[in-house]
């Protein structure tokens, strides 16, 4: 099983490596729970050169327990029992507009580019921007066109709906949404409307079901596994298992480590993330409280009627098929 959006684990990695450049944060703090939940691979987010080096250092020092994967072939052929680690570049940070950096990231083996983290930036408008439904900037459009020539997938998560539709109009390559739920089940600016879900499927993309309680139910403190399954089944019924994946955005880190990211996503507290965000993020929905309980999601989907072949798609097959198209084994 592959989790296509690990969440703020990178904050823990960054903190650990500042104290000890040879730290093994993933191996010592996360692998056990990930494996307990049935995970064999994950996509982690980086936003600058230091975080790339930190993750590669984690891989090098893991004694084979973690394998850096740049393609489906890398994942399929990793040593038995080794955890497959992919990298996704959230490009709203210090490298924004650096086209040469895109080429370098691709050569290093980064698989994905993400434009926003909920707020407006130099590339596009995020979903938490309360001053309008703006779309892509001129620079953002240039980045989209540049990405068409590179084996990097485009993740349309975190952005406003106007930005989402701009991206589909401008960009001709593979697109997906790493972690979002169905707006029809629980309306939220971060969830996807049926029209958006169908548009992702029409472009052969996938949607990763997410566990952040704020996107699961209107009252996040009442979110349950059954509610998450409702989102998954709505997407399944609408577009099929071949467009469904797991984007379980668990925290896994201390509240102190994620509070800064939540303030960044809602700087003027327009959506209350500064007050409640950390509490909502601290634990997953009832029945799947942390990554070690991810297997309950798979069991629940089986109980809701998915076949083993369909479960294989949801737990990694759909994502790997998309990755194989966008980034063949020889692409760098």
């Amino acid at each position: 099983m592959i989790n296509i959006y690990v969440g703020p684990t990178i904050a823990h990695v960054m903190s650990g490596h500042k104290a000890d450049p040879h730290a093994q944060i993933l191996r010592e703090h996360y692998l056990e729970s990930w494996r307990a939940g049935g995970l064999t691979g994950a996509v982690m987010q980086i936003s600058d050169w230091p975080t790339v080096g930190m993750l590669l250092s984690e891989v090098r020092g893991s004694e084979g327990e973690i394998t850096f994967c740049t393609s489906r072939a890398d994942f399929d052929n990793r040593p038995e029992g080794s955890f497959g680690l992919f990298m996704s570049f959230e490009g709203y940070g210090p490298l924004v507009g650096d086209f040469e950096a895109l080429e370098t990231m691709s050569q290093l083996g980064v698989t994905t580019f993400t434009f926003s983290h909920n707020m407006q930036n130099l590339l596009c408008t995020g979903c938490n921007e309360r001053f309008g439904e703006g779309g892509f900037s001129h620079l953002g459009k240039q980045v989209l066109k540049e990405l068409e020539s590179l084996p990097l997938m485009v993740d349309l998560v975190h952005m406003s709906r106007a930005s989402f539709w701009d991206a589909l109009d401008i960009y001709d390559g593979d697109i997906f949404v790493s972690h979002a739920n169905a707006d029809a089940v629980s309306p939220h600016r971060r969830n996807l409307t049926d029209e958006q879900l169908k548009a992702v499927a029409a472009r052969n993309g996938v949607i990763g079901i997410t566990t952040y309680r704020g996107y699961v139910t209107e009252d996040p403190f009442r979110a349950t596994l059954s509610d998450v399954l409702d989102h998954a089944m709505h997407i399944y019924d609408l577009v099929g298992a071949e467009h469904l994946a797991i984007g379980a955005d668990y925290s896994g880190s201390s509240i102190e480590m994620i509070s800064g990211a939540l303030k960044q996503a809602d700087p003027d507290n327009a959506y209350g993330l500064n007050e409640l965000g950390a509490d909502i993020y601290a634990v997953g929905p009832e029945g799947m409280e942390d990554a070690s309980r991810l297997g309950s999601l798979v069991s629940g989907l089986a109980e809701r009627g998915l076949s083993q072949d369909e479960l294989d798609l949801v737990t990694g097959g759909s994502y790997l098929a998309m990755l194989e198209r966008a980034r063949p084994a020889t692409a760098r």
Side-chain angles (χ1 to χ4, degrees):
M1 179 176 12
I2 299 174
N3 181 6
I4 68 173
Y5 193 89
V6 170
T9 303
I10 191 64
H12 194 176
V13 172
M14 293 168 67
S15 175
H17 279 254
K18 287 178 181 177
D20 176 8
H22 304 293
Q24 283 285 291
I25 302 301
L26 299 182
R27 188 181 180 191
E28 295 175 5
H29 296 274
Y30 294 94
L31 278 188
E32 183 178 355
S33 63
W34 287 351
R35 286 169 170 160
L39 286 178
T40 56
V43 183
M44 286 195 65
Q45 291 63 49
I46 51 98
S47 57
D48 54 28
W49 297 120
T51 50
V52 175
M54 290 173 189
L55 288 185
L56 292 178
S57 173
E58 294 263 341
V59 172
R60 186 178 62 252
S62 72
E63 298 181 325
E65 288 199 64
I66 304 174
T67 297
F68 177 45
C69 297
T70 69
S71 66
R72 177 172 192 162
D74 284 349
F75 182 79
D76 289 343
N77 298 321
R78 73 195 188 282
E80 184 176 357
S82 185
F83 192 88
L85 183 69
F86 298 89
M87 286 191 205
S88 171
F89 179 49
E90 290 190 324
Y92 50 85
L95 302 181
V96 62
D98 186 343
F99 292 169
E100 288 77 14
L102 295 178
E103 178 70 38
T104 304
M105 290 288 181
S106 177
Q107 290 290 328
L108 283 172
V110 176
T111 60
T112 306
F113 187 90
T114 305
F115 279 83
S116 174
H117 189 251
N118 300 306
M119 290 302 295
Q120 176 132 352
N121 57 39
L122 294 175
L123 300 178
C124 70
T125 301
C127 65
N128 279 357
E129 182 54 60
R130 63 190 182 96
F131 296 110
E133 266 283 309
F136 267 72
S137 67
H138 291 297
L139 177 59
K141 293 174 183 177
Q142 286 180 290
V143 174
L144 270 174
K145 297 307 292 184
E146 185 72 18
L147 287 168
E148 287 184 342
S149 64
L150 294 170
L152 285 166
M153 297 184 294
V154 170
D155 182 1
L156 301 186
V157 75
H158 297 142
M159 58 180 56
S160 71
R161 287 170 183 165
S163 294
F164 175 95
W165 293 115
D166 270 357
L168 263 68
D169 286 341
I170 297 164
Y171 181 73
D172 292 329
D174 288 78
I175 58 95
F176 72 107
V177 178
S178 59
H179 58 302
N181 290 332
D183 189 75
V185 175
S186 183
H188 194 285
R189 61 195 172 278
R190 267 284 278 104
N191 288 337
L192 301 180
T193 65
D194 285 358
E195 187 179 10
Q196 287 178 296
L197 293 169
K198 290 177 181 177
V200 172
R203 296 284 287 270
N204 293 315
V206 302
I207 302 98
I209 291 297
T210 189
T211 52
Y212 178 66
R213 290 182 292 166
Y215 309 151
V216 174
T217 54
E218 185 174 354
D219 181 351
F221 296 104
R222 295 181 179 273
T224 67
L225 168 61
S226 180
D227 296 318
V228 178
L229 290 168
D230 288 344
H231 284 278
M233 293 308 298
H234 180 85
I235 297 172
Y236 168 83
D237 290 338
L238 196 68
V239 298
E242 63 270 30
H243 301 294
L244 190 58
I246 295 174
D249 188 11
Y250 285 113
S251 168
S253 306
S254 69
I255 296 301
E256 292 75 21
M257 289 182 184
I258 64 173
S259 60
L262 292 169
K263 289 179 180 178
Q264 182 187 56
D266 186 16
D268 54 6
N269 203 32
Y271 300 104
L273 291 183
N274 294 352
E275 299 165 353
L276 298 176
D279 290 336
I280 297 171
Y281 223 146
V283 64
E286 181 183 351
M288 51 185 312
E289 289 82 0
D290 57 45
S292 70
R293 303 292 302 278
L294 267 176
S296 61
L297 176 60
V298 182
S299 299
L301 290 172
E303 292 173 1
R304 296 277 184 114
L306 270 67
S307 68
Q308 186 58 54
D309 286 346
E310 290 173 323
L311 291 174
D312 289 344
L313 289 172
V314 174
T315 56
S318 296
Y319 174 78
L320 290 174
M322 180 180 65
L323 178 61
E324 189 172 27
R325 288 193 308 271
R327 190 176 180 83
T330 56
R332 277 296 179 99

